Amino acid sequence: MTRVNNSDPERMDAMKSKLAWNFINRGRASLVLALLLAAMIAAATSAEAQTYKVIHTFTGGSDGIEPETGLLLAPDGLYGVTYVGGGDSETGTVFRIDKAGHETVLFRFPGCCDVYPKGAGPLGALIRDAAGNLYGTTYLGGANKLGTVFKIDKAGKETVLHSFKGADGSGPWAPLIRDADGSLYGTTAYGGNLENCLSGCGTVFKLDAAGKLTVLYAFEDTFDGTIPTGNMVRDPQGNLYGIASQGGSSDCVGGGCGTLFKLNTSGTITILHVFHSSDSYGCFPFGGLIRDQAGNLYGTTDGCASGNNGTVFKLDRKGDITALYNFKGGRDGSGSAAPLTQDAAGNFYGTTEFGGDLSCKLLGNQLGCGTVFKLDTAGRETVLYRFKGKKDGGFPMAGLVIDKAGKLYGTAPDAGDFGCEEFVGCGVVYEVTP
């Protein structure tokens, strides 16, 4: 029934190897969806940019392992999380890197023996309020072992604001949004509707300043999609825009190719686009959305389109979708699971998890260890960096942040220091000057 091509044994074996290492050795389930990527085609030409610098290498000790998510850029440095590592509990950290490149661990998630009351496995990027408090989510742990929303104050004290119960969601995977009243908005990948999906189809939620959580929408795995991941955005009227990484259609492996949705302040959902495996726009929009001042939405897809290597797409205010760029699967990159970043001139920046330097042998694959790319307003792609899978890191999954000088900052969850995982590495934080 599916039209997704999974016939490239080398690509699939490399991805399965990466998943096996992450799942078995680090307990991660989140990348199972990456098996949906498929065949590569001929390499494309693109110019690699000027300066790449590793600004922190994780060592597998108290500083954490596997920085999967994007960074928060603040006046006093970069803030981020590691999914695992950090000490005896091995369930992740919250860290800051100052302007001199020094890393400080602000919080290590405690616990033992499958009991992690403060949460475990942070997967969503952090946000910060005007007072300097940090907010984030953990994929696991909490009172019900189904994930949490947490706050860390300036003194490093962590407070669990909500522990998910299943009916109200489970497995929060994406960054939060905070409004002027202090309410937090987010998604959970699972939970909610437990009838149509074994572990639930996912939710959109609001957590108010008093700590009351309201499920704004529970996905049904029909036309609306399932497993909402990635960035949501909120417009001035309070409407939320986001993605469901699967569902919507029935012609992709795993139960649908994904959707784009709008959720208004009354909780009414509008499906803006349903992806199909035959589309030129791609499928599996894991990374989420960004929105420009005109109301256009932009994102990436992880597969389908030309060669099943994913796309950068635009959805305009009329609801028309356009592929701004189709990845070719060679040196230009393959499979973006990350949101985009846009500069003042309208250029987009992002990452691909595969492609790039095809000589990279991390985990024995020959598919490349990922790229950092720029897409200009004319649709021309420039590869700013191709990961080598060595001390520079590999397999970037997260989006980028950009400072006033135009420097880009991101994370790569693998390679770097191989002391913690002989064949995988502990991950790095990096800087790119375009």
Side-chain angles (χ1 to χ4, degrees), residues 249-286:
S249 63
S250 59
D251 61 338
C252 285
V253 174
C257 305
T259 68
L260 308 179
F261 67 84
K262 172 185 176 181
L263 188 67
N264 70 15
T265 55
S266 300
T268 300
I269 197 167
T270 301
I271 301 305
L272 304 175
H273 183 74
V274 176
F275 291 95
H276 295 272
S277 63
S278 57
D279 285 346
S280 61
Y281 320 120
C283 60
F284 312 124
F286 294 128

Side-chain angles (χ1 to χ4, degrees), residues 208-270:
D208 68 21
K212 178 185 176 182
L213 187 134
T214 302
V215 175
L216 302 178
Y217 186 77
F219 288 86
E220 300 177 351
D221 193 21
T222 53
F223 70 96
D224 57 347
T226 182
I227 313 180
T229 60
N231 292 19
M232 280 199 304
V233 291
R234 189 168 182 262
D235 69 17
Q237 291 73 44
N239 301 303
L240 296 168
Y241 301 82
I243 62 93
S245 61
Q246 292 191 39
S249 63
S250 59
D251 61 338
C252 285
V253 174
C257 305
T259 68
L260 308 179
F261 67 84
K262 172 185 176 181
L263 188 67
N264 70 15
T265 55
S266 300
T268 300
I269 197 167
T270 301

Side-chain angles (χ1 to χ4, degrees), residues 80-384:
V81 298
T82 64
Y83 180 64
V84 290
D88 294 339
S89 68
E90 291 290 311
T91 50
T93 69
V94 177
F95 65 85
R96 183 186 70 202
I97 298 175
D98 65 23
K99 293 182 178 180
H102 301 129
E103 190 229 25
T104 301
V105 176
L106 304 177
F107 185 76
R108 297 178 179 91
F109 291 91
C112 175
C113 315
D114 200 31
V115 178
Y116 306 102
K118 295 287 189 178
L123 271 177
L126 299 168
I127 61 171
R128 190 165 86 154
D129 65 19
N133 301 304
L134 300 170
Y135 301 86
T137 61
T138 64
Y139 184 68
L140 303 168
N144 307 298
K145 304 180 182 181
L146 297 175
T148 70
V149 178
F150 67 84
K151 170 185 174 180
I152 297 179
D153 65 21
K154 293 184 69 174
K157 178 185 176 182
E158 194 241 27
T159 302
V160 174
L161 302 178
H162 184 76
S163 289
F164 289 96
K165 303 175 180 67
D168 63 351
S170 68
W173 192 333
L176 298 165
I177 298 172
R178 188 172 185 270
D179 69 14
D181 297 327
S183 296
L184 300 170
Y185 301 83
T187 61
T188 64
Y190 304 103
N193 186 328
L194 301 175
E195 296 181 3
N196 294 358
C197 305
L198 182 63
S199 300
C201 306
T203 70
V204 180
F205 66 84
K206 173 184 177 180
L207 183 67
D208 68 21
K212 178 185 176 182
L213 187 134
T214 302
V215 175
L216 302 178
Y217 186 77
F219 288 86
E220 300 177 351
D221 193 21
T222 53
F223 70 96
D224 57 347
T226 182
I227 313 180
T229 60
N231 292 19
M232 280 199 304
V233 291
R234 189 168 182 262
D235 69 17
Q237 291 73 44
N239 301 303
L240 296 168
Y241 301 82
I243 62 93
S245 61
Q246 292 191 39
S249 63
S250 59
D251 61 338
C252 285
V253 174
C257 305
T259 68
L260 308 179
F261 67 84
K262 172 185 176 181
L263 188 67
N264 70 15
T265 55
S266 300
T268 300
I269 197 167
T270 301
I271 301 305
L272 304 175
H273 183 74
V274 176
F275 291 95
H276 295 272
S277 63
S278 57
D279 285 346
S280 61
Y281 320 120
C283 60
F284 312 124
F286 294 128
L289 300 171
I290 63 171
R291 183 177 182 270
D292 66 17
Q293 292 184 345
N296 301 304
L297 300 171
Y298 303 87
T300 62
T301 63
D302 207 20
C304 296
S306 176
N308 287 324
N309 293 292
T311 66
V312 176
F313 67 83
K314 171 184 176 180
L315 183 76
D316 67 21
R317 293 184 64 183
K318 298 177 181 179
D320 295 328
I321 191 167
T322 306
L324 302 180
Y325 186 77
N326 284 278
F327 292 101
K328 299 174 178 62
R331 290 175 59 79
D332 70 329
S334 175
S336 179
L340 297 165
T341 299
Q342 190 174 28
D343 66 18
N347 302 302
F348 295 104
Y349 300 88
T351 64
T352 66
E353 191 174 4
F354 294 96
D357 185 346
L358 303 184
S359 68
C360 174
K361 298 297 191 295
L362 187 60
L363 289 178
N365 88 91
Q366 294 183 345
L367 303 174
C369 291
T371 70
V372 177
F373 68 85
K374 171 185 176 181
L375 188 67
D376 68 20
T377 55
R380 291 185 294 262
E381 192 225 36
T382 301
V383 175
L384 302 178

Side-chain angles (χ1 to χ4, degrees), residues 63-77:
D63 63 340
I65 306 170
E66 198 175 332
E68 289 195 8
T69 66
L71 300 166
L72 166 68
L73 179 63
D76 58 343

